[in-house]
Amino acid sequence: ADVISLVDQEGMYCLAVLFVRQGKILGSRSIFPSKTKYDSHKDILASSLMQFYLEHDIPSEIIINQSISEKRIIQQALMEAQNRQTKIKDRVVSYRAKWLKISVANAEESLKSKLSSKSSISNQLRDLTEALGSKQKLKNLVCFDVSHNMGDKSVAACVRFNEDGFSKKDYRRFNIEGVQPGDDYAAISNAIERHYKRINQEKRNLPDLLIIDGGKGQINSVKKVLQSLSIEDQMIIGIAKGDRRDPKNDRIFIQGHKDPIDMTGRDSAKFLVQSIRDEAHRFAITGHRAKKRKQLLQSDLESIDGIGPSKKKNLLTQFGGIQEVKRASVDDLISVDGINKNLAEKIFNHFNPN
């Protein structure tokens, strides 16, 4: 059975799912569904059920902590979608009632933790707003960073932070081509230009704050790019690493000011900027490593005499990736268009030297 509870507090909702199999609780998960002014409590529970089971198998029994008006319709829709039997129950006793009590407690605790985190984020954003002297509260922040290996295969990353924390669905990576090796100014400018061109094209609102990993030089470079796009009112700050790369010595610069901002007594604001910078750095590095790993693996295949771009494409298309090519037998390899027995043996021996 899946035991599902929906609770709300201060305008936020939490859906807790308790996974019970053969009478044992195997785990749980908390989800925070969004709400519109038209949604009732029961509407949110009903839509959350449908959404959850679009991505998960339905169990034989679904226990919920309140009745929903379209229970039979939803139950039938879930069974037809997955061709399995299930029953939705909102009145239970005995050990099922105990499971439901645990599920409700999990939902309440998760929601309490989420609200506490949101309150902390709100305080950090307020402190940062005050530290930067912004007239409006900063709620929507983006940060850019670049990862490269001596300029080879540079990848820029953009992460977004809002009142709910990091918004990972809005993360973006940019493959940087045509810049001088190690030229971070050009790489970050390239990514900024592409990102803000899209904002203009889609007529979206600018972020409240743009954070750049770097100092005054990077800020000035980015500012020129934005001016070329007729964007004049974007607030920009840069965070530069301090002496010995000690976070305590990080300096924060704001456009139009020569000296770094005095962050004395603004620990929470400084920590927030550092956290966002570090997340952008992590996202950029993982993207760069993945790209370089793919390059190395595919180059390994091309190093085999007789394998060109066309045959490489056929191999990767048929097997789904380089690891599957490495595991393929000679007979498997022969089945690929353009691969004869001689070439198949070369490929097999290349990846299986022993």
PDB file of all heavy atoms in Angstrom, residues 148-183:
ATOM      1  N   HIS A 148      36.709  25.188 -17.235  1.00  0.00           N
ATOM      2  CA  HIS A 148      37.473  24.813 -18.421  1.00  0.00           C
ATOM      3  C   HIS A 148      38.779  24.168 -17.998  1.00  0.00           C
ATOM      4  O   HIS A 148      39.197  24.256 -16.841  1.00  0.00           O
ATOM      5  CB  HIS A 148      37.772  26.038 -19.292  1.00  0.00           C
ATOM      6  CG  HIS A 148      38.587  27.084 -18.598  1.00  0.00           C
ATOM      7  ND1 HIS A 148      39.952  27.021 -18.498  1.00  0.00           N
ATOM      8  CD2 HIS A 148      38.211  28.213 -17.944  1.00  0.00           C
ATOM      9  CE1 HIS A 148      40.394  28.075 -17.828  1.00  0.00           C
ATOM     10  NE2 HIS A 148      39.355  28.814 -17.468  1.00  0.00           N
ATOM     11  N   ASN A 149      39.415  23.516 -18.951  1.00  0.00           N
ATOM     12  CA  ASN A 149      40.746  22.956 -18.731  1.00  0.00           C
ATOM     13  C   ASN A 149      41.672  23.607 -19.742  1.00  0.00           C
ATOM     14  O   ASN A 149      41.768  23.172 -20.881  1.00  0.00           O
ATOM     15  CB  ASN A 149      40.713  21.430 -18.922  1.00  0.00           C
ATOM     16  CG  ASN A 149      42.082  20.802 -18.696  1.00  0.00           C
ATOM     17  OD1 ASN A 149      42.945  21.414 -18.079  1.00  0.00           O
ATOM     18  ND2 ASN A 149      42.265  19.590 -19.201  1.00  0.00           N
ATOM     19  N   MET A 150      42.313  24.693 -19.323  1.00  0.00           N
ATOM     20  CA  MET A 150      43.153  25.487 -20.211  1.00  0.00           C
ATOM     21  C   MET A 150      42.371  25.931 -21.442  1.00  0.00           C
ATOM     22  O   MET A 150      42.873  25.982 -22.552  1.00  0.00           O
ATOM     23  CB  MET A 150      44.395  24.677 -20.643  1.00  0.00           C
ATOM     24  CG  MET A 150      45.312  24.318 -19.501  1.00  0.00           C
ATOM     25  SD  MET A 150      45.895  25.773 -18.579  1.00  0.00           S
ATOM     26  CE  MET A 150      46.955  26.519 -19.799  1.00  0.00           C
ATOM     27  N   GLY A 151      41.090  26.237 -21.229  1.00  0.00           N
ATOM     28  CA  GLY A 151      40.266  26.747 -22.318  1.00  0.00           C
ATOM     29  C   GLY A 151      39.615  25.664 -23.152  1.00  0.00           C
ATOM     30  O   GLY A 151      38.765  25.936 -23.989  1.00  0.00           O
ATOM     31  N   ASP A 152      40.042  24.394 -22.938  1.00  0.00           N
ATOM     32  CA  ASP A 152      39.508  23.313 -23.750  1.00  0.00           C
ATOM     33  C   ASP A 152      38.115  22.921 -23.274  1.00  0.00           C
ATOM     34  O   ASP A 152      37.894  22.665 -22.102  1.00  0.00           O
ATOM     35  CB  ASP A 152      40.453  22.109 -23.652  1.00  0.00           C
ATOM     36  CG  ASP A 152      39.954  20.930 -24.455  1.00  0.00           C
ATOM     37  OD1 ASP A 152      39.633  21.126 -25.631  1.00  0.00           O
ATOM     38  OD2 ASP A 152      39.886  19.823 -23.890  1.00  0.00           O
ATOM     39  N   LYS A 153      37.198  22.865 -24.216  1.00  0.00           N
ATOM     40  CA  LYS A 153      35.831  22.455 -23.912  1.00  0.00           C
ATOM     41  C   LYS A 153      35.241  23.250 -22.743  1.00  0.00           C
ATOM     42  O   LYS A 153      34.764  22.689 -21.756  1.00  0.00           O
ATOM     43  CB  LYS A 153      35.778  20.949 -23.604  1.00  0.00           C
ATOM     44  CG  LYS A 153      36.095  20.062 -24.793  1.00  0.00           C
ATOM     45  CD  LYS A 153      35.038  20.177 -25.879  1.00  0.00           C
ATOM     46  CE  LYS A 153      35.375  19.319 -27.079  1.00  0.00           C
ATOM     47  NZ  LYS A 153      34.410  19.495 -28.177  1.00  0.00           N
ATOM     48  N   SER A 154      35.274  24.546 -22.840  1.00  0.00           N
ATOM     49  CA  SER A 154      34.730  25.384 -21.772  1.00  0.00           C
ATOM     50  C   SER A 154      33.216  25.219 -21.672  1.00  0.00           C
ATOM     51  O   SER A 154      32.525  25.100 -22.679  1.00  0.00           O
ATOM     52  CB  SER A 154      35.064  26.859 -22.032  1.00  0.00           C
ATOM     53  OG  SER A 154      36.447  27.074 -21.934  1.00  0.00           O
ATOM     54  N   VAL A 155      32.732  25.226 -20.446  1.00  0.00           N
ATOM     55  CA  VAL A 155      31.294  25.130 -20.180  1.00  0.00           C
ATOM     56  C   VAL A 155      30.928  26.228 -19.181  1.00  0.00           C
ATOM     57  O   VAL A 155      31.571  26.360 -18.138  1.00  0.00           O
ATOM     58  CB  VAL A 155      30.913  23.752 -19.592  1.00  0.00           C
ATOM     59  CG1 VAL A 155      29.441  23.732 -19.193  1.00  0.00           C
ATOM     60  CG2 VAL A 155      31.204  22.642 -20.595  1.00  0.00           C
ATOM     61  N   ALA A 156      29.923  27.026 -19.533  1.00  0.00           N
ATOM     62  CA  ALA A 156      29.408  28.030 -18.590  1.00  0.00           C
ATOM     63  C   ALA A 156      28.125  27.498 -17.976  1.00  0.00           C
ATOM     64  O   ALA A 156      27.382  26.750 -18.613  1.00  0.00           O
ATOM     65  CB  ALA A 156      29.151  29.357 -19.302  1.00  0.00           C
ATOM     66  N   ALA A 157      27.886  27.884 -16.736  1.00  0.00           N
ATOM     67  CA  ALA A 157      26.687  27.418 -16.045  1.00  0.00           C
ATOM     68  C   ALA A 157      25.927  28.599 -15.471  1.00  0.00           C
ATOM     69  O   ALA A 157      26.521  29.585 -15.045  1.00  0.00           O
ATOM     70  CB  ALA A 157      27.054  26.446 -14.929  1.00  0.00           C
ATOM     71  N   CYS A 158      24.611  28.472 -15.491  1.00  0.00           N
ATOM     72  CA  CYS A 158      23.732  29.471 -14.877  1.00  0.00           C
ATOM     73  C   CYS A 158      22.819  28.750 -13.903  1.00  0.00           C
ATOM     74  O   CYS A 158      22.145  27.787 -14.276  1.00  0.00           O
ATOM     75  CB  CYS A 158      22.906  30.187 -15.951  1.00  0.00           C
ATOM     76  SG  CYS A 158      21.617  31.279 -15.290  1.00  0.00           S
ATOM     77  N   VAL A 159      22.824  29.190 -12.641  1.00  0.00           N
ATOM     78  CA  VAL A 159      21.905  28.622 -11.652  1.00  0.00           C
ATOM     79  C   VAL A 159      20.973  29.727 -11.162  1.00  0.00           C
ATOM     80  O   VAL A 159      21.322  30.904 -11.202  1.00  0.00           O
ATOM     81  CB  VAL A 159      22.644  27.979 -10.458  1.00  0.00           C
ATOM     82  CG1 VAL A 159      23.577  26.883 -10.942  1.00  0.00           C
ATOM     83  CG2 VAL A 159      23.415  29.009  -9.654  1.00  0.00           C
ATOM     84  N   ARG A 160      19.798  29.320 -10.722  1.00  0.00           N
ATOM     85  CA  ARG A 160      18.798  30.289 -10.269  1.00  0.00           C
ATOM     86  C   ARG A 160      18.421  30.012  -8.822  1.00  0.00           C
ATOM     87  O   ARG A 160      18.297  28.857  -8.402  1.00  0.00           O
ATOM     88  CB  ARG A 160      17.549  30.227 -11.155  1.00  0.00           C
ATOM     89  CG  ARG A 160      16.491  31.292 -10.842  1.00  0.00           C
ATOM     90  CD  ARG A 160      15.331  31.199 -11.820  1.00  0.00           C
ATOM     91  NE  ARG A 160      15.762  31.498 -13.171  1.00  0.00           N
ATOM     92  CZ  ARG A 160      15.855  32.724 -13.680  1.00  0.00           C
ATOM     93  NH1 ARG A 160      15.537  33.775 -12.931  1.00  0.00           N
ATOM     94  NH2 ARG A 160      16.240  32.913 -14.924  1.00  0.00           N
ATOM     95  N   PHE A 161      18.234  31.099  -8.082  1.00  0.00           N
ATOM     96  CA  PHE A 161      17.861  31.009  -6.664  1.00  0.00           C
ATOM     97  C   PHE A 161      16.695  31.956  -6.423  1.00  0.00           C
ATOM     98  O   PHE A 161      16.708  33.105  -6.868  1.00  0.00           O
ATOM     99  CB  PHE A 161      19.051  31.407  -5.781  1.00  0.00           C
ATOM    100  CG  PHE A 161      18.830  31.203  -4.306  1.00  0.00           C
ATOM    101  CD1 PHE A 161      19.167  30.010  -3.697  1.00  0.00           C
ATOM    102  CD2 PHE A 161      18.290  32.214  -3.513  1.00  0.00           C
ATOM    103  CE1 PHE A 161      18.975  29.814  -2.331  1.00  0.00           C
ATOM    104  CE2 PHE A 161      18.100  32.031  -2.156  1.00  0.00           C
ATOM    105  CZ  PHE A 161      18.440  30.826  -1.555  1.00  0.00           C
ATOM    106  N   ASN A 162      15.661  31.458  -5.730  1.00  0.00           N
ATOM    107  CA  ASN A 162      14.511  32.311  -5.421  1.00  0.00           C
ATOM    108  C   ASN A 162      14.059  32.088  -3.983  1.00  0.00           C
ATOM    109  O   ASN A 162      14.794  31.508  -3.183  1.00  0.00           O
ATOM    110  CB  ASN A 162      13.379  32.071  -6.425  1.00  0.00           C
ATOM    111  CG  ASN A 162      12.925  30.614  -6.455  1.00  0.00           C
ATOM    112  OD1 ASN A 162      12.974  29.913  -5.447  1.00  0.00           O
ATOM    113  ND2 ASN A 162      12.498  30.144  -7.620  1.00  0.00           N
ATOM    114  N   GLU A 163      12.873  32.513  -3.671  1.00  0.00           N
ATOM    115  CA  GLU A 163      12.381  32.427  -2.290  1.00  0.00           C
ATOM    116  C   GLU A 163      12.184  30.998  -1.800  1.00  0.00           C
ATOM    117  O   GLU A 163      12.033  30.764  -0.600  1.00  0.00           O
ATOM    118  CB  GLU A 163      11.078  33.214  -2.159  1.00  0.00           C
ATOM    119  CG  GLU A 163      11.258  34.720  -2.293  1.00  0.00           C
ATOM    120  CD  GLU A 163       9.950  35.474  -2.189  1.00  0.00           C
ATOM    121  OE1 GLU A 163       9.092  35.277  -3.078  1.00  0.00           O
ATOM    122  OE2 GLU A 163       9.787  36.257  -1.238  1.00  0.00           O
ATOM    123  N   ASP A 164      12.183  30.048  -2.717  1.00  0.00           N
ATOM    124  CA  ASP A 164      12.065  28.642  -2.333  1.00  0.00           C
ATOM    125  C   ASP A 164      13.415  27.938  -2.302  1.00  0.00           C
ATOM    126  O   ASP A 164      13.498  26.748  -2.034  1.00  0.00           O
ATOM    127  CB  ASP A 164      11.130  27.904  -3.307  1.00  0.00           C
ATOM    128  CG  ASP A 164       9.700  28.389  -3.187  1.00  0.00           C
ATOM    129  OD1 ASP A 164       9.240  28.612  -2.049  1.00  0.00           O
ATOM    130  OD2 ASP A 164       9.035  28.570  -4.228  1.00  0.00           O
ATOM    131  N   GLY A 165      14.483  28.659  -2.605  1.00  0.00           N
ATOM    132  CA  GLY A 165      15.810  28.058  -2.647  1.00  0.00           C
ATOM    133  C   GLY A 165      16.299  27.913  -4.078  1.00  0.00           C
ATOM    134  O   GLY A 165      15.888  28.656  -4.969  1.00  0.00           O
ATOM    135  N   PHE A 166      17.155  26.932  -4.321  1.00  0.00           N
ATOM    136  CA  PHE A 166      17.682  26.710  -5.662  1.00  0.00           C
ATOM    137  C   PHE A 166      16.600  26.121  -6.564  1.00  0.00           C
ATOM    138  O   PHE A 166      15.955  25.138  -6.209  1.00  0.00           O
ATOM    139  CB  PHE A 166      18.891  25.772  -5.624  1.00  0.00           C
ATOM    140  CG  PHE A 166      20.122  26.413  -5.041  1.00  0.00           C
ATOM    141  CD1 PHE A 166      20.554  26.081  -3.764  1.00  0.00           C
ATOM    142  CD2 PHE A 166      20.839  27.361  -5.762  1.00  0.00           C
ATOM    143  CE1 PHE A 166      21.682  26.678  -3.215  1.00  0.00           C
ATOM    144  CE2 PHE A 166      21.970  27.966  -5.220  1.00  0.00           C
ATOM    145  CZ  PHE A 166      22.385  27.628  -3.950  1.00  0.00           C
ATOM    146  N   SER A 167      16.408  26.746  -7.722  1.00  0.00           N
ATOM    147  CA  SER A 167      15.384  26.299  -8.672  1.00  0.00           C
ATOM    148  C   SER A 167      16.070  25.500  -9.773  1.00  0.00           C
ATOM    149  O   SER A 167      16.427  26.048 -10.830  1.00  0.00           O
ATOM    150  CB  SER A 167      14.638  27.507  -9.252  1.00  0.00           C
ATOM    151  OG  SER A 167      13.647  27.094 -10.164  1.00  0.00           O
ATOM    152  N   LYS A 168      16.264  24.221  -9.543  1.00  0.00           N
ATOM    153  CA  LYS A 168      17.082  23.411 -10.440  1.00  0.00           C
ATOM    154  C   LYS A 168      16.456  23.221 -11.819  1.00  0.00           C
ATOM    155  O   LYS A 168      17.176  22.975 -12.794  1.00  0.00           O
ATOM    156  CB  LYS A 168      17.387  22.059  -9.791  1.00  0.00           C
ATOM    157  CG  LYS A 168      18.231  22.214  -8.535  1.00  0.00           C
ATOM    158  CD  LYS A 168      18.823  20.913  -8.042  1.00  0.00           C
ATOM    159  CE  LYS A 168      19.757  21.163  -6.858  1.00  0.00           C
ATOM    160  NZ  LYS A 168      20.406  19.953  -6.366  1.00  0.00           N
ATOM    161  N   LYS A 169      15.160  23.374 -11.914  1.00  0.00           N
ATOM    162  CA  LYS A 169      14.533  23.261 -13.237  1.00  0.00           C
ATOM    163  C   LYS A 169      14.938  24.417 -14.143  1.00  0.00           C
ATOM    164  O   LYS A 169      14.790  24.335 -15.372  1.00  0.00           O
ATOM    165  CB  LYS A 169      13.009  23.197 -13.101  1.00  0.00           C
ATOM    166  CG  LYS A 169      12.361  24.463 -12.572  1.00  0.00           C
ATOM    167  CD  LYS A 169      10.856  24.303 -12.429  1.00  0.00           C
ATOM    168  CE  LYS A 169      10.183  25.540 -11.861  1.00  0.00           C
ATOM    169  NZ  LYS A 169      10.309  26.714 -12.713  1.00  0.00           N
ATOM    170  N   ASP A 170      15.452  25.488 -13.556  1.00  0.00           N
ATOM    171  CA  ASP A 170      15.868  26.648 -14.338  1.00  0.00           C
ATOM    172  C   ASP A 170      17.370  26.699 -14.578  1.00  0.00           C
ATOM    173  O   ASP A 170      17.880  27.675 -15.124  1.00  0.00           O
ATOM    174  CB  ASP A 170      15.426  27.945 -13.635  1.00  0.00           C
ATOM    175  CG  ASP A 170      13.913  28.068 -13.560  1.00  0.00           C
ATOM    176  OD1 ASP A 170      13.255  27.782 -14.569  1.00  0.00           O
ATOM    177  OD2 ASP A 170      13.394  28.449 -12.495  1.00  0.00           O
ATOM    178  N   TYR A 171      18.102  25.666 -14.151  1.00  0.00           N
ATOM    179  CA  TYR A 171      19.541  25.632 -14.382  1.00  0.00           C
ATOM    180  C   TYR A 171      19.808  25.494 -15.886  1.00  0.00           C
ATOM    181  O   TYR A 171      19.072  24.813 -16.604  1.00  0.00           O
ATOM    182  CB  TYR A 171      20.191  24.444 -13.671  1.00  0.00           C
ATOM    183  CG  TYR A 171      20.378  24.598 -12.174  1.00  0.00           C
ATOM    184  CD1 TYR A 171      19.687  25.557 -11.446  1.00  0.00           C
ATOM    185  CD2 TYR A 171      21.247  23.767 -11.474  1.00  0.00           C
ATOM    186  CE1 TYR A 171      19.866  25.684 -10.076  1.00  0.00           C
ATOM    187  CE2 TYR A 171      21.429  23.878 -10.111  1.00  0.00           C
ATOM    188  CZ  TYR A 171      20.732  24.838  -9.408  1.00  0.00           C
ATOM    189  OH  TYR A 171      20.915  24.955  -8.056  1.00  0.00           O
ATOM    190  N   ARG A 172      20.883  26.110 -16.350  1.00  0.00           N
ATOM    191  CA  ARG A 172      21.260  26.025 -17.756  1.00  0.00           C
ATOM    192  C   ARG A 172      22.777  25.886 -17.890  1.00  0.00           C
ATOM    193  O   ARG A 172      23.533  26.433 -17.097  1.00  0.00           O
ATOM    194  CB  ARG A 172      20.809  27.269 -18.528  1.00  0.00           C
ATOM    195  CG  ARG A 172      19.314  27.486 -18.589  1.00  0.00           C
ATOM    196  CD  ARG A 172      18.617  26.458 -19.465  1.00  0.00           C
ATOM    197  NE  ARG A 172      17.188  26.710 -19.545  1.00  0.00           N
ATOM    198  CZ  ARG A 172      16.283  26.213 -18.709  1.00  0.00           C
ATOM    199  NH1 ARG A 172      16.673  25.430 -17.710  1.00  0.00           N
ATOM    200  NH2 ARG A 172      15.003  26.486 -18.856  1.00  0.00           N
ATOM    201  N   ARG A 173      23.205  25.157 -18.924  1.00  0.00           N
ATOM    202  CA  ARG A 173      24.624  25.090 -19.274  1.00  0.00           C
ATOM    203  C   ARG A 173      24.809  25.615 -20.692  1.00  0.00           C
ATOM    204  O   ARG A 173      23.916  25.484 -21.534  1.00  0.00           O
ATOM    205  CB  ARG A 173      25.155  23.651 -19.199  1.00  0.00           C
ATOM    206  CG  ARG A 173      25.323  23.111 -17.796  1.00  0.00           C
ATOM    207  CD  ARG A 173      26.174  21.843 -17.808  1.00  0.00           C
ATOM    208  NE  ARG A 173      26.296  21.260 -16.467  1.00  0.00           N
ATOM    209  CZ  ARG A 173      25.606  20.202 -16.058  1.00  0.00           C
ATOM    210  NH1 ARG A 173      24.740  19.634 -16.882  1.00  0.00           N
ATOM    211  NH2 ARG A 173      25.778  19.729 -14.842  1.00  0.00           N
ATOM    212  N   PHE A 174      25.977  26.204 -20.954  1.00  0.00           N
ATOM    213  CA  PHE A 174      26.291  26.761 -22.262  1.00  0.00           C
ATOM    214  C   PHE A 174      27.649  26.221 -22.705  1.00  0.00           C
ATOM    215  O   PHE A 174      28.657  26.443 -22.035  1.00  0.00           O
ATOM    216  CB  PHE A 174      26.351  28.294 -22.200  1.00  0.00           C
ATOM    217  CG  PHE A 174      25.092  28.945 -21.694  1.00  0.00           C
ATOM    218  CD1 PHE A 174      24.878  29.096 -20.323  1.00  0.00           C
ATOM    219  CD2 PHE A 174      24.119  29.413 -22.573  1.00  0.00           C
ATOM    220  CE1 PHE A 174      23.725  29.697 -19.838  1.00  0.00           C
ATOM    221  CE2 PHE A 174      22.967  30.011 -22.094  1.00  0.00           C
ATOM    222  CZ  PHE A 174      22.767  30.156 -20.732  1.00  0.00           C
ATOM    223  N   ASN A 175      27.660  25.514 -23.832  1.00  0.00           N
ATOM    224  CA  ASN A 175      28.931  25.079 -24.405  1.00  0.00           C
ATOM    225  C   ASN A 175      29.579  26.274 -25.084  1.00  0.00           C
ATOM    226  O   ASN A 175      28.974  26.918 -25.940  1.00  0.00           O
ATOM    227  CB  ASN A 175      28.707  23.952 -25.411  1.00  0.00           C
ATOM    228  CG  ASN A 175      28.188  22.695 -24.743  1.00  0.00           C
ATOM    229  OD1 ASN A 175      28.578  22.376 -23.628  1.00  0.00           O
ATOM    230  ND2 ASN A 175      27.305  21.969 -25.426  1.00  0.00           N
ATOM    231  N   ILE A 176      30.790  26.576 -24.693  1.00  0.00           N
ATOM    232  CA  ILE A 176      31.469  27.765 -25.193  1.00  0.00           C
ATOM    233  C   ILE A 176      32.444  27.377 -26.304  1.00  0.00           C
ATOM    234  O   ILE A 176      33.346  26.562 -26.095  1.00  0.00           O
ATOM    235  CB  ILE A 176      32.241  28.486 -24.064  1.00  0.00           C
ATOM    236  CG1 ILE A 176      31.291  28.780 -22.887  1.00  0.00           C
ATOM    237  CG2 ILE A 176      32.871  29.766 -24.584  1.00  0.00           C
ATOM    238  CD1 ILE A 176      30.132  29.681 -23.211  1.00  0.00           C
ATOM    239  N   GLU A 177      32.257  27.947 -27.469  1.00  0.00           N
ATOM    240  CA  GLU A 177      33.124  27.693 -28.611  1.00  0.00           C
ATOM    241  C   GLU A 177      33.709  29.018 -29.101  1.00  0.00           C
ATOM    242  O   GLU A 177      33.131  30.083 -28.926  1.00  0.00           O
ATOM    243  CB  GLU A 177      32.325  27.044 -29.760  1.00  0.00           C
ATOM    244  CG  GLU A 177      31.527  25.809 -29.359  1.00  0.00           C
ATOM    245  CD  GLU A 177      32.395  24.593 -29.116  1.00  0.00           C
ATOM    246  OE1 GLU A 177      33.597  24.646 -29.466  1.00  0.00           O
ATOM    247  OE2 GLU A 177      31.880  23.594 -28.575  1.00  0.00           O
ATOM    248  N   GLY A 178      34.882  28.933 -29.734  1.00  0.00           N
ATOM    249  CA  GLY A 178      35.456  30.089 -30.406  1.00  0.00           C
ATOM    250  C   GLY A 178      36.037  31.159 -29.511  1.00  0.00           C
ATOM    251  O   GLY A 178      36.070  32.336 -29.893  1.00  0.00           O
ATOM    252  N   VAL A 179      36.482  30.782 -28.302  1.00  0.00           N
ATOM    253  CA  VAL A 179      37.143  31.759 -27.428  1.00  0.00           C
ATOM    254  C   VAL A 179      38.573  31.319 -27.191  1.00  0.00           C
ATOM    255  O   VAL A 179      38.905  30.131 -27.299  1.00  0.00           O
ATOM    256  CB  VAL A 179      36.410  31.924 -26.078  1.00  0.00           C
ATOM    257  CG1 VAL A 179      34.969  32.341 -26.285  1.00  0.00           C
ATOM    258  CG2 VAL A 179      36.484  30.644 -25.258  1.00  0.00           C
ATOM    259  N   GLN A 180      39.436  32.267 -26.880  1.00  0.00           N
ATOM    260  CA  GLN A 180      40.828  31.950 -26.611  1.00  0.00           C
ATOM    261  C   GLN A 180      40.938  31.079 -25.357  1.00  0.00           C
ATOM    262  O   GLN A 180      40.210  31.291 -24.385  1.00  0.00           O
ATOM    263  CB  GLN A 180      41.632  33.244 -26.412  1.00  0.00           C
ATOM    264  CG  GLN A 180      41.840  34.054 -27.676  1.00  0.00           C
ATOM    265  CD  GLN A 180      42.675  33.321 -28.708  1.00  0.00           C
ATOM    266  OE1 GLN A 180      43.665  32.675 -28.381  1.00  0.00           O
ATOM    267  NE2 GLN A 180      42.264  33.402 -29.970  1.00  0.00           N
ATOM    268  N   PRO A 181      41.831  30.102 -25.364  1.00  0.00           N
ATOM    269  CA  PRO A 181      41.998  29.244 -24.179  1.00  0.00           C
ATOM    270  C   PRO A 181      42.230  30.063 -22.912  1.00  0.00           C
ATOM    271  O   PRO A 181      43.072  30.952 -22.871  1.00  0.00           O
ATOM    272  CB  PRO A 181      43.240  28.411 -24.525  1.00  0.00           C
ATOM    273  CG  PRO A 181      43.247  28.363 -26.023  1.00  0.00           C
ATOM    274  CD  PRO A 181      42.727  29.697 -26.468  1.00  0.00           C
ATOM    275  N   GLY A 182      41.434  29.761 -21.884  1.00  0.00           N
ATOM    276  CA  GLY A 182      41.604  30.423 -20.596  1.00  0.00           C
ATOM    277  C   GLY A 182      41.005  31.816 -20.490  1.00  0.00           C
ATOM    278  O   GLY A 182      41.146  32.468 -19.456  1.00  0.00           O
ATOM    279  N   ASP A 183      40.328  32.281 -21.545  1.00  0.00           N
ATOM    280  CA  ASP A 183      39.752  33.631 -21.528  1.00  0.00           C
ATOM    281  C   ASP A 183      38.378  33.590 -20.854  1.00  0.00           C
ATOM    282  O   ASP A 183      37.354  33.465 -21.516  1.00  0.00           O
ATOM    283  CB  ASP A 183      39.648  34.188 -22.949  1.00  0.00           C
ATOM    284  CG  ASP A 183      39.257  35.666 -22.974  1.00  0.00           C
ATOM    285  OD1 ASP A 183      38.832  36.173 -21.919  1.00  0.00           O
ATOM    286  OD2 ASP A 183      39.365  36.291 -24.041  1.00  0.00           O
TER     287      ASP A 183
END
